[in-house]
Amino acid sequence: MLRRIGDILASRKEEIADLMTREMGKPLAETRGDVQEGIDTAYYAASEGRRLFGHTVPSELRNKWAMSFRRPIGVAGIITPFNFPMAIPTWKMFPALVCGNPCIFKPAEDVPHTGHVLVEVFLEAGLPPEVIQLVHGLGEAVGAAIVNHPLIPLISFTGSTETGRIVGETCGRLHKRLSLEMGGKNAMLVFDDADLDLALDGVVWGAFGTTGQRCTATSRLVLQDGIHDNFLSRLVERARSLRLGDGRKEETDVGPLINDASRQKVERYVDIGQSEGADIVCGGRRATGKGLENGFFFEPTIFARVRPGMRIEQEEIFGPVLSVLRFRTPDEAFAINNDVKYGLSSSVYTANVNVSMRAMNELDNGITYINAPTIGAEAHLPFGGVKQTGNGHREGGWEVYEFYSETKVGYLDFSGALQRAQIDNY
């Protein structure tokens, strides 16, 4: 069934990408990628269904057989955000289903259409209706009902760190298995020896793709002294050239924010950054002009002369706002990267293999890219972070199947006598 779901998504890719862009705003190139993640995840999950391995191991005692295997846990409550309305639900539901868990799925209230179509595809592929339930509503109502329900033992949540804290407290009290995927404050570190053209492309995509509404967004740019001024000047020029508008038009680079509350939040952080002494060198205002009258558009914004510890450098904004900092040595750059409460993704642009390997070991993130921006997840690799980004579980890859299944150990004693392992074996 999962393979059929992948086939249906592939055949309807353009249609679903278009409806997703109409619903949440990001350009078609991005929503096509969102659907493709769902396709890739379907095919990967279908193959992982053959690899839910246990172990058959020797026993300490004669005439005794010992083994382990994977069992379903129960109904999975799936709560997902607006920014990747196809990819993230499939990251969660496909592994849950292949492990044998039915799902109750609540998409973000801003993107009900994409979630509805996804469940229709499930049913078209032959998934029994009782195995997938779709509920719409506000998080504080429907989401809370799912988290608090005594017959839903398994919760997977992606959203803000603050909401995740509440979900975590509730699940801890009710002894539920929980996967949290929350915020990020991701840094790109660019060294003097970097390929600056490549780094420039990377930061523009990392910071302003999806209008900055990614947990993996590049929200901090940390530049070494030798290239700081030149790189910043080139970046401002590129950011000013980005075209805002209807994401269904191929020439559009940046779409609107998801709603007015998000735009107001970005405006508050622009004010905070200025009050802290940072300088706006690009953007900082609501975007206006022909074609921008009816969306929640905001200009791509760059703050220069940002210092470690400023709120705009520490707190997740979830919009098209980039903070630029300066460093001298690798130690200083790594310290800036690590000195936030989040730990999702990091990025290093350098030609120095020693710095690259140090970064892999020393940057306190779940993901580190070398010579690529802080975004991008592949279906067959674990995705997630440390500190206040998550609670240790991972989406995607092989590890997620351990989250959605329980290890059961079985013993078969065919000795015909009482055997007491640690007593009779010595």
PDB file of all heavy atoms in Angstrom, residues 206-227:
ATOM      1  N   GLY A 206      19.412  29.058   2.014  1.00  0.00           N
ATOM      2  CA  GLY A 206      19.191  28.636   3.390  1.00  0.00           C
ATOM      3  C   GLY A 206      18.408  29.635   4.210  1.00  0.00           C
ATOM      4  O   GLY A 206      17.588  29.261   5.055  1.00  0.00           O
ATOM      5  N   ALA A 207      18.637  30.935   3.981  1.00  0.00           N
ATOM      6  CA  ALA A 207      18.003  31.963   4.801  1.00  0.00           C
ATOM      7  C   ALA A 207      16.618  32.347   4.304  1.00  0.00           C
ATOM      8  O   ALA A 207      15.723  32.633   5.117  1.00  0.00           O
ATOM      9  CB  ALA A 207      18.893  33.203   4.851  1.00  0.00           C
ATOM     10  N   PHE A 208      16.425  32.388   2.990  1.00  0.00           N
ATOM     11  CA  PHE A 208      15.199  32.977   2.457  1.00  0.00           C
ATOM     12  C   PHE A 208      14.299  31.984   1.728  1.00  0.00           C
ATOM     13  O   PHE A 208      13.170  32.329   1.379  1.00  0.00           O
ATOM     14  CB  PHE A 208      15.560  34.151   1.541  1.00  0.00           C
ATOM     15  CG  PHE A 208      16.389  35.198   2.238  1.00  0.00           C
ATOM     16  CD1 PHE A 208      17.640  35.558   1.764  1.00  0.00           C
ATOM     17  CD2 PHE A 208      15.934  35.794   3.412  1.00  0.00           C
ATOM     18  CE1 PHE A 208      18.416  36.512   2.420  1.00  0.00           C
ATOM     19  CE2 PHE A 208      16.694  36.740   4.079  1.00  0.00           C
ATOM     20  CZ  PHE A 208      17.936  37.105   3.584  1.00  0.00           C
ATOM     21  N   GLY A 209      14.765  30.747   1.499  1.00  0.00           N
ATOM     22  CA  GLY A 209      13.864  29.720   1.013  1.00  0.00           C
ATOM     23  C   GLY A 209      12.764  29.444   2.025  1.00  0.00           C
ATOM     24  O   GLY A 209      12.972  29.561   3.237  1.00  0.00           O
ATOM     25  N   THR A 210      11.578  29.118   1.522  1.00  0.00           N
ATOM     26  CA  THR A 210      10.385  28.931   2.377  1.00  0.00           C
ATOM     27  C   THR A 210      10.130  30.173   3.229  1.00  0.00           C
ATOM     28  O   THR A 210       9.560  30.097   4.313  1.00  0.00           O
ATOM     29  CB  THR A 210      10.500  27.670   3.263  1.00  0.00           C
ATOM     30  OG1 THR A 210      11.139  26.616   2.526  1.00  0.00           O
ATOM     31  CG2 THR A 210       9.126  27.167   3.703  1.00  0.00           C
ATOM     32  N   THR A 211      10.600  31.335   2.747  1.00  0.00           N
ATOM     33  CA  THR A 211      10.458  32.614   3.457  1.00  0.00           C
ATOM     34  C   THR A 211      11.040  32.522   4.867  1.00  0.00           C
ATOM     35  O   THR A 211      10.558  33.157   5.800  1.00  0.00           O
ATOM     36  CB  THR A 211       8.977  33.056   3.490  1.00  0.00           C
ATOM     37  OG1 THR A 211       8.357  32.725   2.237  1.00  0.00           O
ATOM     38  CG2 THR A 211       8.846  34.564   3.667  1.00  0.00           C
ATOM     39  N   GLY A 212      12.068  31.709   5.023  1.00  0.00           N
ATOM     40  CA  GLY A 212      12.700  31.546   6.333  1.00  0.00           C
ATOM     41  C   GLY A 212      11.901  30.714   7.305  1.00  0.00           C
ATOM     42  O   GLY A 212      12.282  30.588   8.478  1.00  0.00           O
ATOM     43  N   GLN A 213      10.817  30.104   6.849  1.00  0.00           N
ATOM     44  CA  GLN A 213       9.913  29.365   7.744  1.00  0.00           C
ATOM     45  C   GLN A 213      10.297  27.886   7.776  1.00  0.00           C
ATOM     46  O   GLN A 213       9.506  27.002   7.463  1.00  0.00           O
ATOM     47  CB  GLN A 213       8.469  29.542   7.280  1.00  0.00           C
ATOM     48  CG  GLN A 213       8.009  30.995   7.313  1.00  0.00           C
ATOM     49  CD  GLN A 213       6.653  31.187   6.669  1.00  0.00           C
ATOM     50  OE1 GLN A 213       5.692  31.623   7.288  1.00  0.00           O
ATOM     51  NE2 GLN A 213       6.565  30.858   5.391  1.00  0.00           N
ATOM     52  N   ARG A 214      11.524  27.629   8.161  1.00  0.00           N
ATOM     53  CA  ARG A 214      12.010  26.262   8.319  1.00  0.00           C
ATOM     54  C   ARG A 214      12.692  26.143   9.673  1.00  0.00           C
ATOM     55  O   ARG A 214      13.387  27.057  10.098  1.00  0.00           O
ATOM     56  CB  ARG A 214      13.060  25.912   7.261  1.00  0.00           C
ATOM     57  CG  ARG A 214      12.675  25.988   5.811  1.00  0.00           C
ATOM     58  CD  ARG A 214      13.869  25.530   4.999  1.00  0.00           C
ATOM     59  NE  ARG A 214      13.683  25.646   3.577  1.00  0.00           N
ATOM     60  CZ  ARG A 214      14.490  26.334   2.769  1.00  0.00           C
ATOM     61  NH1 ARG A 214      15.523  26.991   3.280  1.00  0.00           N
ATOM     62  NH2 ARG A 214      14.275  26.360   1.474  1.00  0.00           N
ATOM     63  N   CYS A 215      12.549  25.004  10.307  1.00  0.00           N
ATOM     64  CA  CYS A 215      13.343  24.777  11.514  1.00  0.00           C
ATOM     65  C   CYS A 215      14.822  24.656  11.168  1.00  0.00           C
ATOM     66  O   CYS A 215      15.682  24.855  12.024  1.00  0.00           O
ATOM     67  CB  CYS A 215      12.855  23.543  12.256  1.00  0.00           C
ATOM     68  SG  CYS A 215      12.838  22.037  11.271  1.00  0.00           S
ATOM     69  N   THR A 216      15.120  24.352   9.907  1.00  0.00           N
ATOM     70  CA  THR A 216      16.506  24.247   9.458  1.00  0.00           C
ATOM     71  C   THR A 216      17.010  25.525   8.784  1.00  0.00           C
ATOM     72  O   THR A 216      18.109  25.529   8.211  1.00  0.00           O
ATOM     73  CB  THR A 216      16.662  23.094   8.455  1.00  0.00           C
ATOM     74  OG1 THR A 216      15.749  23.304   7.371  1.00  0.00           O
ATOM     75  CG2 THR A 216      16.414  21.756   9.106  1.00  0.00           C
ATOM     76  N   ALA A 217      16.253  26.597   8.804  1.00  0.00           N
ATOM     77  CA  ALA A 217      16.654  27.819   8.097  1.00  0.00           C
ATOM     78  C   ALA A 217      18.007  28.327   8.587  1.00  0.00           C
ATOM     79  O   ALA A 217      18.332  28.247   9.774  1.00  0.00           O
ATOM     80  CB  ALA A 217      15.599  28.903   8.280  1.00  0.00           C
ATOM     81  N   THR A 218      18.791  28.859   7.657  1.00  0.00           N
ATOM     82  CA  THR A 218      20.038  29.519   8.026  1.00  0.00           C
ATOM     83  C   THR A 218      19.680  30.899   8.574  1.00  0.00           C
ATOM     84  O   THR A 218      19.418  31.825   7.822  1.00  0.00           O
ATOM     85  CB  THR A 218      20.964  29.653   6.808  1.00  0.00           C
ATOM     86  OG1 THR A 218      21.200  28.358   6.249  1.00  0.00           O
ATOM     87  CG2 THR A 218      22.283  30.289   7.198  1.00  0.00           C
ATOM     88  N   SER A 219      19.640  31.026   9.881  1.00  0.00           N
ATOM     89  CA  SER A 219      19.243  32.300  10.486  1.00  0.00           C
ATOM     90  C   SER A 219      20.416  33.077  11.059  1.00  0.00           C
ATOM     91  O   SER A 219      20.264  34.224  11.470  1.00  0.00           O
ATOM     92  CB  SER A 219      18.201  32.067  11.584  1.00  0.00           C
ATOM     93  OG  SER A 219      18.681  31.164  12.549  1.00  0.00           O
ATOM     94  N   ARG A 220      21.606  32.430  11.075  1.00  0.00           N
ATOM     95  CA  ARG A 220      22.828  33.121  11.507  1.00  0.00           C
ATOM     96  C   ARG A 220      23.923  32.860  10.486  1.00  0.00           C
ATOM     97  O   ARG A 220      24.161  31.718  10.107  1.00  0.00           O
ATOM     98  CB  ARG A 220      23.282  32.625  12.892  1.00  0.00           C
ATOM     99  CG  ARG A 220      22.283  32.894  14.004  1.00  0.00           C
ATOM    100  CD  ARG A 220      22.833  32.473  15.352  1.00  0.00           C
ATOM    101  NE  ARG A 220      23.018  31.035  15.422  1.00  0.00           N
ATOM    102  CZ  ARG A 220      23.889  30.432  16.226  1.00  0.00           C
ATOM    103  NH1 ARG A 220      24.682  31.154  17.015  1.00  0.00           N
ATOM    104  NH2 ARG A 220      23.994  29.120  16.247  1.00  0.00           N
ATOM    105  N   LEU A 221      24.566  33.921  10.033  1.00  0.00           N
ATOM    106  CA  LEU A 221      25.685  33.829   9.105  1.00  0.00           C
ATOM    107  C   LEU A 221      26.921  34.344   9.824  1.00  0.00           C
ATOM    108  O   LEU A 221      26.967  35.502  10.244  1.00  0.00           O
ATOM    109  CB  LEU A 221      25.412  34.657   7.847  1.00  0.00           C
ATOM    110  CG  LEU A 221      26.547  34.745   6.835  1.00  0.00           C
ATOM    111  CD1 LEU A 221      26.878  33.374   6.256  1.00  0.00           C
ATOM    112  CD2 LEU A 221      26.187  35.720   5.720  1.00  0.00           C
ATOM    113  N   VAL A 222      27.917  33.477   9.965  1.00  0.00           N
ATOM    114  CA  VAL A 222      29.101  33.793  10.762  1.00  0.00           C
ATOM    115  C   VAL A 222      30.288  33.835   9.802  1.00  0.00           C
ATOM    116  O   VAL A 222      30.704  32.816   9.263  1.00  0.00           O
ATOM    117  CB  VAL A 222      29.298  32.755  11.881  1.00  0.00           C
ATOM    118  CG1 VAL A 222      30.374  33.212  12.854  1.00  0.00           C
ATOM    119  CG2 VAL A 222      27.982  32.513  12.633  1.00  0.00           C
ATOM    120  N   LEU A 223      30.822  35.054   9.575  1.00  0.00           N
ATOM    121  CA  LEU A 223      31.824  35.287   8.539  1.00  0.00           C
ATOM    122  C   LEU A 223      33.186  35.571   9.147  1.00  0.00           C
ATOM    123  O   LEU A 223      33.306  36.364  10.089  1.00  0.00           O
ATOM    124  CB  LEU A 223      31.407  36.480   7.671  1.00  0.00           C
ATOM    125  CG  LEU A 223      30.053  36.368   6.942  1.00  0.00           C
ATOM    126  CD1 LEU A 223      29.719  37.677   6.257  1.00  0.00           C
ATOM    127  CD2 LEU A 223      30.078  35.221   5.948  1.00  0.00           C
ATOM    128  N   GLN A 224      34.231  34.959   8.581  1.00  0.00           N
ATOM    129  CA  GLN A 224      35.589  35.227   9.057  1.00  0.00           C
ATOM    130  C   GLN A 224      36.027  36.626   8.609  1.00  0.00           C
ATOM    131  O   GLN A 224      35.597  37.141   7.570  1.00  0.00           O
ATOM    132  CB  GLN A 224      36.558  34.164   8.541  1.00  0.00           C
ATOM    133  CG  GLN A 224      37.860  34.117   9.305  1.00  0.00           C
ATOM    134  CD  GLN A 224      38.633  32.822   9.082  1.00  0.00           C
ATOM    135  OE1 GLN A 224      38.389  32.087   8.122  1.00  0.00           O
ATOM    136  NE2 GLN A 224      39.573  32.520   9.980  1.00  0.00           N
ATOM    137  N   ASP A 225      36.886  37.223   9.401  1.00  0.00           N
ATOM    138  CA  ASP A 225      37.293  38.621   9.191  1.00  0.00           C
ATOM    139  C   ASP A 225      37.687  38.943   7.757  1.00  0.00           C
ATOM    140  O   ASP A 225      37.296  39.962   7.202  1.00  0.00           O
ATOM    141  CB  ASP A 225      38.475  38.965  10.116  1.00  0.00           C
ATOM    142  CG  ASP A 225      38.015  39.444  11.480  1.00  0.00           C
ATOM    143  OD1 ASP A 225      36.869  39.912  11.578  1.00  0.00           O
ATOM    144  OD2 ASP A 225      38.804  39.341  12.437  1.00  0.00           O
ATOM    145  N   GLY A 226      38.500  38.062   7.151  1.00  0.00           N
ATOM    146  CA  GLY A 226      39.075  38.381   5.864  1.00  0.00           C
ATOM    147  C   GLY A 226      38.085  38.542   4.735  1.00  0.00           C
ATOM    148  O   GLY A 226      38.363  39.249   3.756  1.00  0.00           O
ATOM    149  N   ILE A 227      36.927  37.890   4.823  1.00  0.00           N
ATOM    150  CA  ILE A 227      35.938  37.961   3.737  1.00  0.00           C
ATOM    151  C   ILE A 227      34.651  38.667   4.167  1.00  0.00           C
ATOM    152  O   ILE A 227      33.721  38.807   3.371  1.00  0.00           O
ATOM    153  CB  ILE A 227      35.620  36.556   3.199  1.00  0.00           C
ATOM    154  CG1 ILE A 227      35.208  35.583   4.336  1.00  0.00           C
ATOM    155  CG2 ILE A 227      36.811  36.002   2.460  1.00  0.00           C
ATOM    156  CD1 ILE A 227      33.756  35.405   4.525  1.00  0.00           C
TER     157      ILE A 227
END
